[in-house]
Amino acid sequence: MSPTQEARFERLRDFVAERGRGRWLVLTHDNPDPDALASAVVLTRVLRALHQRATPAYGGIIGRAENREMVRTLQLKLSHVRHISWRGYQHFALVDTQPRTGNNQLPDEVVPEIVFDHHPRRVATKAVPFQDIRPRYGATATLAAEYLLASGRRVTHHEATALVYAIRTETRDFSREASGPDRRVHDQLLPKVRQSDLARIQYPRLPLSYFATLHQALERLEGADNLILSHLGEVAQPDIVPEIADLLLRLQGKTWSLCTGIYRDRIYLSVRTSNTRADAGRLMRRVVGHKGRGGGHGMTAGGWIESASEPAAQQRRLGERLARALRKDPQRLAPIHLTPHGWTRGADGDAEPSR
């Protein structure tokens, strides 16, 4: 572990000691992914090593099959915010999210004392007394792991597996926004990983609803040039939206993808790109505007807007706004119809053969 990270841990240790005793609530973003789940559990472990009482918690749901399997197999103990009493906590920390972003359950009037994140620093985060924001890192789990390693505490098999899986998924096996520290921490923890647990998480049993949603996504494909998108109807969980966006980006010839889906009273959006020089987070904030919240970083972004009386029309307008932001004519967005030999696009029916 580098002296720099040891110094960071010592600064955290001194900071926590200055705050005095009290219970810490460590919050993830809503509908947490592996990066958020692993980071929350590890920061909680670090705080407990510093003789603090701490509870990791989340809002929304853990919906994706892989994420549910991760929690079950690795016995990750997180509480849902509906089961906690806010008055029972004196200190608050955020991981993989920041204050006032609209994607976590921390009340806007509460300023967290700690923020760990790998997304660009938001304006409200400037008021946080202890912040470790590293946009060049591919995963928040990487920087959380560095604190655990610097603490001198033994890393358990379950913790190592959670961190390695989080780093791999967040960087898409180091093909997206990965840094040297991500690889270094991954390789350091890999010998402690139980491969059987990792395989169980990566290949869980999938419910029929997953395939129904996938079928719907393929039926609703639209495209223009290098942009591919799909607008889903009601979804069983919001984290199917980024999963579909990831899948769409794999289509040959496409470098941007968008998926939207309706969950309760919100329309969720996910944008993905293979352009390593892009700023998907800024693009997402332009698309949602003042009607919702959005953010992200280089190649991935997510957001939401409140759903109105005609959500399908809202979704269509969101796709058009993305097209304009990418300097494409929204009128060129046309349905893509799959065929046994490839696909046809738009009313003219011009075929694109399979390759």
Side-chain angles (χ1 to χ4, degrees):
M1 185 57 56
S2 68
T4 300
Q5 188 52 42
E6 291 176 357
R8 286 194 181 108
F9 173 74
E10 290 173 2
R11 188 168 71 89
L12 177 64
R13 181 190 60 199
D14 295 342
F15 174 80
V16 169
E18 290 171 1
R19 311 313 273 192
R21 291 299 179 90
R23 297 181 67 190
W24 285 82
L25 186 65
V26 180
L27 279 172
T28 71
H29 57 71
D30 292 343
N31 313 309
D33 58 7
D35 193 26
L37 293 168
S39 299
V41 169
V42 167
L43 177 55
T44 298
R45 173 84 187 285
V46 171
L47 289 170
R48 289 173 180 170
L50 296 174
H51 312 293
Q52 301 292 317
R53 290 183 295 167
T55 301
Y58 67 97
I61 63 173
I62 301 174
R64 189 166 176 170
E66 291 87 344
N67 301 349
R68 293 198 305 271
E69 190 62 46
M70 174 184 178
V71 170
R72 181 167 48 247
T73 297
L74 303 182
Q75 301 174 27
L76 304 184
K77 306 297 183 184
L78 296 98
S79 298
H80 195 280
V81 290
R82 65 172 174 264
H83 297 141
I84 66 172
S85 170
W86 292 92
R87 292 178 296 178
Y89 294 89
Q90 295 75 47
H91 308 291
F92 300 91
L94 292 177
V95 293
D96 206 32
T97 182
Q98 298 180 43
R100 296 194 170 191
T101 53
N103 71 341
N104 62 67
Q105 294 296 307
L106 187 71
D108 284 349
E109 64 272 16
V110 176
V111 178
E113 291 159 275
I114 296 174
V115 170
F116 281 6
D117 198 12
H118 74 123
H119 300 94
R121 182 179 283 101
R122 305 295 287 266
V123 173
T125 305
K126 295 179 180 179
V128 177
F130 190 102
Q131 48 181 283
D132 196 342
I133 313 295
R134 304 189 212 175
R136 69 184 184 88
Y137 276 38
T140 302
T142 300
L143 69 93
E146 289 183 347
Y147 280 89
L148 179 57
L149 292 166
S151 74
R153 292 299 193 273
R154 181 181 66 87
V155 181
T156 68
H157 292 298
H158 282 169
E159 289 167 345
T161 304
L163 289 165
V164 164
Y165 181 65
I167 294 169
R168 286 184 181 180
T169 56
E170 194 69 8
T171 65
R172 197 182 292 170
D173 287 325
F174 302 98
S175 68
R176 179 178 67 190
E177 300 170 3
S179 67
D182 295 303
R183 173 67 76 176
R184 183 168 59 250
V185 167
H186 172 277
D187 291 349
Q188 186 172 351
L189 295 174
L190 191 58
K192 291 181 175 291
V193 170
R194 284 182 175 158
Q195 294 298 328
S196 58
D197 288 347
L198 191 59
R200 190 175 296 113
I201 296 166
Q202 290 176 309
Y203 305 104
R205 304 295 290 181
L206 297 170
L208 185 60
S209 60
Y210 170 85
F211 296 96
T213 303
L214 178 59
H215 177 72
Q216 181 186 94
L218 296 177
E219 283 192 322
R220 299 185 178 190
L221 290 178
E222 294 181 53
D225 302 325
N226 62 338
L227 170 64
I228 183 76
L229 58 85
S230 183
H231 299 304
L232 304 174
E234 294 278 350
V235 295
Q237 70 265 349
D239 51 2
I240 191 66
V241 174
E243 186 169 359
I244 296 296
D246 281 330
L247 179 63
L248 296 182
L249 190 61
R250 297 174 64 183
L251 182 61
Q252 286 181 331
K254 305 301 179 182
T255 58
W256 286 91
S257 69
L258 166 71
C259 182
T260 73
I262 305 165
Y263 182 74
R264 295 182 179 172
D265 58 350
R266 290 179 176 178
I267 297 175
Y268 286 85
L269 308 82
S270 283
V271 166
R272 298 291 186 266
T273 181
S274 57
N275 182 354
T276 58
R277 301 176 64 183
D279 188 345
R282 179 176 295 180
L283 190 67
M284 175 60 72
R285 289 190 289 274
R286 287 179 58 189
V287 170
V288 300
H290 298 294
K291 296 182 178 180
R293 299 289 183 90
H297 36 111
M299 301 168 71
T300 66
W304 58 264
I305 65 170
E306 298 290 347
S307 177
S309 57
E310 296 183 355
Q314 285 180 285
Q315 290 174 285
R316 185 173 61 255
R317 287 193 292 271
L318 289 169
E320 291 171 351
R321 292 189 71 176
L322 176 62
R324 281 192 290 270
L326 293 174
R327 300 181 180 180
K328 303 181 188 305
D329 181 359
Q331 299 300 319
R332 297 197 63 207
L333 284 172
I336 293 176
H337 305 292
L338 301 180
T339 73
H341 303 291
W343 47 272
T344 60
R345 179 181 177 276
D348 54 12
D350 289 343
E352 174 74 18
S354 298
R355 299 178 184 136

